[in-house]
Amino acid sequence: MSAFLDAARPETPPAATTRFRPAIHFTARDTWLNDPNGLVFHDGLYHLFFQNNPYGNVWGNMSWGHATSAELLHWTEHPVAIACDEAEDIFSGSVVVDHGNTSGFGTAESPALVAIYTSAFKAASEHSGTQAQSLAYSTDAGMTWQKYDGNPVLTRNSANFRDPKVFRYQGDQGAYWVMVAVEAHHQKVVLYRSDDLKSWDFLSDFGPANADAGDWECPDLFPLAVDGDPAHLKWVLIVNVNPGAVAGGSGGQYFVGQFDGDRFVPDAGSLAAPAGVSSLDASAAAAALQQCLWLDWGRDCYASVSFSNAPNGRRIIIGWMNNWDYANELPTHPWRSSMTLARELRLATVNGSARLVQQAVLPAGPSADEPVILAKDLVMADTELRLPAAVPGTAQVIDADIVPGAARQLEFRLFGGNDPESGTFLRYDMAAAELVLDRRNSGSTGFHEKFASVETVPVCLEDGALNLRIVVDHCSVEVFAQGGKVVLTDLVFPDQECRENRLAVRGGPATLRTLSSWTRR
Ligand code: FRU
């Protein structure tokens, strides 16, 4: 077993060499992964650590896998960074660059990377049955890690205290470390502070609020400038919830508010249910759930957290592209599960309130083909337009800016085959003003009873137009609508020969201001 952990791991083989392997989404070579962990930029590289089972392709033996990338699109997998042992599983957490050598693990000239992770203690441990926060550090730029011998550094004697995200806070009283973590079963985010990452003092807690029907997991807290104005900062608190997300099962919600170095206070406008939707009756709860703020309205975006130390003040998140409802059953082998694309976040004023806007990080590069312009100022009524078919080994990006006008419905059919009923359908319905992603008839859905699904999200036209960026990889569809104000991510496992894409306009004329398609590998 340990020989396996020590072995240098070869690069992930290219897409399409194994069924459904994505072209531009990270997968582990031949094992299971879940949450992104310890996202950090250091010395010119983005590090993606991740919940990994080094011994199999279902959840278990939780350890931190490791991959790096210079551009957030293509990743190289490295040996397991922090491995489970008889005493503990290594659950989710974060990594900071300890610039001031506050921990003493590095030097001022050569700062250590410090991982703050959850020890999920097992029977062999004196802490058995509890989850507590522990440290590991690296003095070789993240390639090898030492566990701190004073672990755990923070315990509440709780069975569900986990997922620490640590950041450096600079306030009027000076700088210190802040940890946001969760008491998962109590739907609480708990905040602590430290000067050296080793000794922690309680600050405050937050929750339950909004979506609280399941565990709260993997929180994050960071400031962003509203509409790019550095004088107008707001804080975003991400709280992942499982189950009880808007599309069912696991998903990520967020709150916008203020953080004063001690306490997070949400804006009234980001509280759809101040005491939590579970305090409401069923119909009020369903309505409130729609009003909560969601990072993603699809089934498959969970545990999203942001990079620390990202250059130029960028705030970039990655999510786990899966859902605990069926995660262990996905029909892939030997790998199972992938990450979403990296997504850059901004805060923009939407209908008077600050809301997250997300852009897929799709850096230009030699393997990006020139966009094919399929339509420009083209009026279409009750017809279909054929788009380039998917090419194995590449992901496809479809960009559309459409004025639906008098049309009743726009419908993209992705992964289409001979049977006109089959495919993944992305529809915009004018009367309902809703974007709908329907994967019920797209290839393999029977591996779990909860997989076949239809996701629906309200989307208002802007100046009469619908703007879409659709990123289609071998087993996923990510939709960024209205410049990224609404995001929708679903896995799909289409039949191998189903590669056709079409756009249909129904019930009247629509104007395709622009429609283009390009590939990325
Ligand atoms: C979220 C989660 C975390 C936990 C990890 C264990 O998906 O349940 O709360 O740390 O996965 O793998």
Side-chain angles (χ1 to χ4, degrees):
M1 270 191 175
S2 66
F4 180 90
L5 288 178
D6 294 342
R9 314 193 73 184
E11 227 172 285
T12 300
T17 54
T18 51
R19 193 81 201 284
F20 301 124
R21 174 90 75 182
I24 57 169
H25 291 81
F26 178 71
T27 54
R29 187 174 70 109
D30 51 9
T31 55
W32 160 272
L33 66 76
N34 57 289
D35 315 356
N37 295 153
L39 302 180
V40 66
F41 179 80
H42 182 58
D43 272 359
L45 279 181
Y46 292 91
H47 292 259
L48 163 61
F49 299 92
F50 52 90
Q51 286 288 281
N52 182 218
N53 179 356
Y55 310 116
N57 67 0
V58 292
W59 187 88
N61 307 309
M62 294 326 293
S63 302
W64 278 26
H66 185 201
T68 52
S69 167
E71 34 71 299
L72 291 166
L73 199 61
H74 299 100
W75 297 90
T76 303
E77 190 175 353
H78 303 291
V80 166
I82 311 176
C84 63
D85 57 24
E86 324 68 58
E88 62 174 8
D89 275 341
I90 314 296
F91 274 18
S92 289
S94 50
V95 166
V96 295
V97 185
D98 186 8
H99 286 294
N101 196 28
T102 62
S103 62
F105 292 142
T107 62
E109 301 71 45
S110 182
L113 295 184
V114 183
I116 307 92
Y117 68 86
T118 298
S119 295
F121 288 112
K122 304 197 230 185
S125 163
E126 59 179 303
H127 308 288
S128 171
T130 67
Q131 296 181 347
Q133 313 323 322
S134 292
L135 306 179
Y137 57 94
S138 169
T139 53
D140 61 358
M143 298 319 287
T144 59
W145 292 81
Q146 294 293 319
K147 286 183 185 173
Y148 172 51
D149 56 17
N151 284 340
V153 294
L154 178 59
T155 179
R156 295 164 57 101
N157 292 317
S158 158
N160 291 285
F161 171 37
R162 59 178 179 262
D163 305 343
K165 177 78 201 272
V166 173
F167 64 92
R168 191 84 181 146
Y169 178 76
Q170 176 73 53
D172 298 342
Q173 315 298 318
Y176 49 92
W177 299 107
V178 173
M179 176 196 294
V180 279
V182 289
E183 275 294 349
H185 283 7
H186 295 138
Q187 292 76 33
K188 271 194 192 309
V189 172
V190 291
L191 289 88
Y192 286 80
R193 65 170 281 175
S194 172
D195 291 324
D196 60 1
L197 296 166
K198 294 170 178 164
S199 127
W200 293 90
D201 296 316
F202 179 74
L203 289 173
S204 61
D205 60 25
F206 170 79
N210 286 3
D212 68 338
D215 279 2
W216 275 19
E217 298 185 318
C218 301
D220 198 354
L221 179 64
F222 48 81
L224 278 175
V226 181
D227 300 321
D229 175 3
H232 188 194
L233 288 187
K234 282 201 179 267
W235 286 74
V236 177
L237 176 66
I238 290 179
V239 181
N240 288 278
V241 60
N242 172 52
V246 67
S250 31
Q253 62 180 326
Y254 69 95
F255 301 83
V256 180
Q258 292 302 340
F259 175 64
D260 61 2
D262 176 19
R263 184 170 291 279
F264 173 78
V265 179
D267 292 349
S270 70
L271 285 181
V277 297
S278 59
S279 68
L280 305 172
D281 68 43
S283 69
L289 208 58
Q290 294 280 320
Q291 300 301 318
C292 296
L293 306 182
W294 295 101
L295 284 170
D296 197 298
W297 289 73
R299 289 280 274 154
D300 298 303
C301 180
Y302 192 56
S304 301
V305 284
S306 69
F307 278 89
S308 71
N309 205 42
N312 307 319
R314 293 173 81 191
R315 187 57 63 176
I316 298 166
I317 59 171
I318 292 182
W320 175 46
M321 195 152 60
N322 209 337
N323 192 312
W324 280 120
D325 273 356
Y326 42 69
N328 279 293
E329 322 282 327
L330 299 188
T332 63
H333 185 83
W335 59 281
R336 187 175 273 125
S337 259
S338 56
M339 297 299 175
T340 66
L341 288 178
R343 298 165 179 190
E344 181 157 5
L345 301 183
R346 290 184 297 120
L347 267 183
T349 305
V350 179
N351 299 330
S353 303
R355 296 291 178 256
L356 282 180
V357 176
Q358 301 176 57
Q359 217 103 51
V361 177
L362 284 167
S367 54
D369 290 345
E370 284 296 306
V372 180
I373 312 288
L374 304 163
K376 197 145 186 38
D377 298 323
L378 176 75
V379 178
M380 259 176 81
D382 298 300
T383 44
E384 287 197 345
L385 185 73
R386 188 190 276 257
L387 279 58
V391 178
T394 71
Q396 190 167 17
V397 184
I398 299 168
D399 288 322
D401 189 53
I402 304 177
V403 177
R408 177 173 45 81
Q409 186 187 69
L410 309 174
E411 180 186 81
F412 285 89
R413 178 183 177 221
L414 311 167
F415 298 116
N418 290 338
D419 171 3
E421 303 294 313
S422 85
T424 305
F425 295 93
L426 176 68
R427 303 189 182 97
Y428 187 74
D429 284 308
M430 285 291 279
E434 279 174 353
L435 194 60
V436 177
L437 186 57
D438 182 345
R439 65 178 176 184
R440 289 173 301 178
N441 242 336
S442 199
S444 174
T445 58
F447 55 87
H448 194 284
E449 57 179 24
K450 289 190 173 167
F451 185 77
S453 64
V454 184
E455 280 61 71
T456 303
V457 51
V459 172
C460 295
L461 299 180
E462 292 180 10
D463 293 330
L466 177 69
N467 174 277
L468 297 174
R469 166 159 281 186
I470 310 166
V471 184
V472 186
D473 206 336
H474 293 70
C475 64
S476 63
V477 176
E478 282 161 292
V479 182
F480 298 82
Q482 305 305 49
K485 293 190 187 109
V486 172
V487 186
L488 198 52
T489 302
D490 266 7
L491 291 172
V492 347
F493 299 95
D495 295 339
Q496 217 147 10
E497 67 285 0
C498 291
R499 300 203 186 113
E500 286 196 6
N501 300 312
R502 281 161 192 261
L503 168 63
V505 174
R506 303 215 170 86
T511 306
L512 278 54
R513 294 207 294 218
T514 59
L515 178 68
S516 61
S517 156
W518 48 290
T519 60
R520 195 73 174 86
R521 80 204 91 164

